[in-house]
Amino acid sequence: MTKLLIFLLLTAMISVIHVSVTRIEERKLPLKKEATRYFLSVGGGIVILALIVQLLSMSFQ
Amino acid sequence: MKQKSLPYLAVAAWLLPGSGHLLSDRKKTGLTILVVVNLFWICGMLLSEFEAGSRLFHPWLFWTGAGCGGTAVVSFFDPAVQHSLSGMQSVRHYQDVPRWNDLGVLLVCIAGLLNVLCLLDVIDLRINSSRRSKEKR
């Protein structure tokens, strides 16, 4: 659980920096909203992948 | 406010992450980068006991961390070289390796790669000054 929290914290920090330096001027969303969307898609995607890998490894044991 | 020259901004942003944005008058972004990237870098260096900045221990990963100028400075002095085993010596205790070594190296790599993005943004802002005037500071 601690590892998951650390991972989410790191992802949130990276999301804020990444979005704030790679925004395209035409985008109309505010930084906060865009960073949240980025965080949810990246963090969520990795957590889902991890769950799939975990389930696969459990099924083969 | 007078614009700083591009090489000056680039070197400043490389040596101290966030300083390029601060000098470009983007204080909010600059402060965020200054806090987050430097926090990653300092934590990484301390956790890996400066191994993350050693070209001897990490000849390839070093280059990802080199996105932050501090890594290059650390590699010049290489304080982690004392951990290397010479001749017939071998690791006797696993505890000889810092406990959070891998996490530390990873943090320095993330800091380096993020700073490359920040550096590119500073260069882009300086070159396309029209973008700069449109964006909120």
Side-chain angles (χ1 to χ4, degrees):
Chain A
M1 203 64 187
T2 319
K3 282 179 182 172
L4 180 67
L5 283 176
I6 292 172
F7 163 74
L8 290 175
L9 186 71
L10 286 179
T11 314
M13 285 170 150
I14 292 168
S15 304
V16 172
I17 297 288
H18 193 276
V19 170
S20 61
V21 296
T22 54
R23 295 179 89 204
I24 300 166
E25 59 187 275
E26 285 83 22
R27 286 182 191 163
K28 289 181 180 80
L29 282 175
L31 178 86
K32 217 175 188 178
K33 219 170 190 177
E34 206 173 321
T36 312
R37 185 181 281 184
Y38 185 94
F39 166 70
L40 287 175
S41 54
V42 173
I46 293 176
V47 169
I48 289 169
L49 265 177
L51 284 174
I52 291 169
V53 171
Q54 191 74 24
L55 284 172
L56 278 174
S57 74
M58 278 165 70
S59 65
F60 282 105
Q61 272 175 9
Chain B
M1 190 181 169
K2 196 188 164 193
Q3 279 192 346
K4 304 278 188 301
S5 70
L6 182 60
Y8 178 75
L9 281 176
V11 171
W14 181 64
L15 279 175
L16 183 66
S19 59
H21 283 85
L22 287 174
L23 289 170
S24 306
D25 216 18
R26 292 186 70 204
K27 293 196 168 56
K28 205 175 163 187
T29 314
L31 277 174
T32 315
I33 296 167
L34 191 79
V35 171
V36 174
V37 177
N38 287 304
L39 185 77
F40 278 17
W41 190 84
I42 292 168
C43 287
M45 278 293 172
L46 293 177
L47 286 175
S48 68
E49 292 181 10
F50 296 97
E51 262 192 44
S54 171
R55 289 171 70 179
L56 180 75
F57 284 98
H58 302 288
W60 297 103
L61 281 177
F62 163 79
W63 293 104
T64 55
C68 290
T71 311
V73 175
V74 168
S75 82
F76 184 74
F77 297 105
D78 209 352
V81 80
Q82 59 179 335
H83 296 305
S84 66
L85 302 168
S86 54
M88 298 296 285
Q89 277 186 306
S90 62
V91 174
R92 292 186 182 173
H93 305 289
Y94 187 68
Q95 285 79 4
D96 290 346
V97 180
R99 191 179 172 197
W100 299 100
N101 188 39
D102 292 345
L103 179 64
V105 174
L106 179 75
L107 283 176
V108 172
C109 290
I110 292 172
L113 293 172
L114 274 179
N115 199 39
V116 171
L117 274 182
C118 301
L119 197 60
L120 289 173
D121 189 50
V122 167
I123 293 168
D124 184 47
L125 277 171
R126 179 66 182 78
I127 293 171
N128 305 316
S129 46
S130 59
R131 180 188 151 198
R132 188 183 178 190
S133 58
K134 278 179 191 170
E135 280 194 13
K136 282 181 188 174
R137 288 175 184 176

